[in-house]
Amino acid sequence: PSDPVFPAALAFALVGFIVMAVVTGLAAFLGRQIDRELLSARSLKASLLTGLVSVCAYISFVISVTLAPNPGYTSLLAFLLPVWLLAWHKATGIEDKASPAAALFIIVGSALLIAVAW
């Protein structure tokens, strides 16, 4: 039989994102935060792209937690997101007020956690 991880992760993400879309949509509608700019073609295109990337990232995260020898490794990589963003901003010349010292602490902490779990 085939591995059921991908279909299960896909179903889990589908249910999660449907619930999030309904709740967020209701909150925006009830809070009267929906305007013409939100429904413009540019905003809808950006929303679709963001949603697609988010779904792919979420499914990848769920699958990696399931298949990794230690599920904590996946979370450690996720916790490194601010470090990756800081590096990306430095490489592309985008101003970033994040602290390189804080990024170093995140890296050292992640390395220590991996060393202890090894």
Side-chain angles (χ1 to χ4, degrees):
S2 66
D3 194 355
V5 172
F6 183 74
L10 197 59
F12 184 69
L14 178 66
V15 170
F17 274 83
I18 287 173
V19 170
M20 286 186 275
V22 168
V23 170
T24 304
L26 282 173
F29 180 74
L30 294 174
R32 301 185 190 275
Q33 297 175 347
I34 298 176
D35 59 7
R36 289 192 190 275
E37 179 63 28
L38 185 65
L39 299 175
S40 70
R42 183 173 184 229
S43 290
L44 291 175
K45 181 180 173 184
S47 298
L48 182 63
L49 182 61
T50 302
L52 182 63
V53 170
S54 297
V55 166
C56 291
Y58 191 66
I59 290 171
S60 298
F61 181 80
V62 170
I63 290 173
S64 65
V65 166
T66 304
L67 299 178
N70 183 340
Y73 294 152
T74 301
S75 295
L76 282 175
L77 287 174
F79 290 146
L80 289 172
L81 179 62
V83 177
W84 292 116
L85 285 174
L86 179 62
W88 174 258
H89 288 165
K90 292 284 185 195
T92 57
I94 297 172
E95 182 183 352
D96 193 334
K97 296 180 181 177
S99 166
L104 181 62
F105 279 116
I106 292 172
I107 293 169
V108 170
S110 297
L112 288 173
L113 284 171
I114 290 172
V116 170
W118 195 279

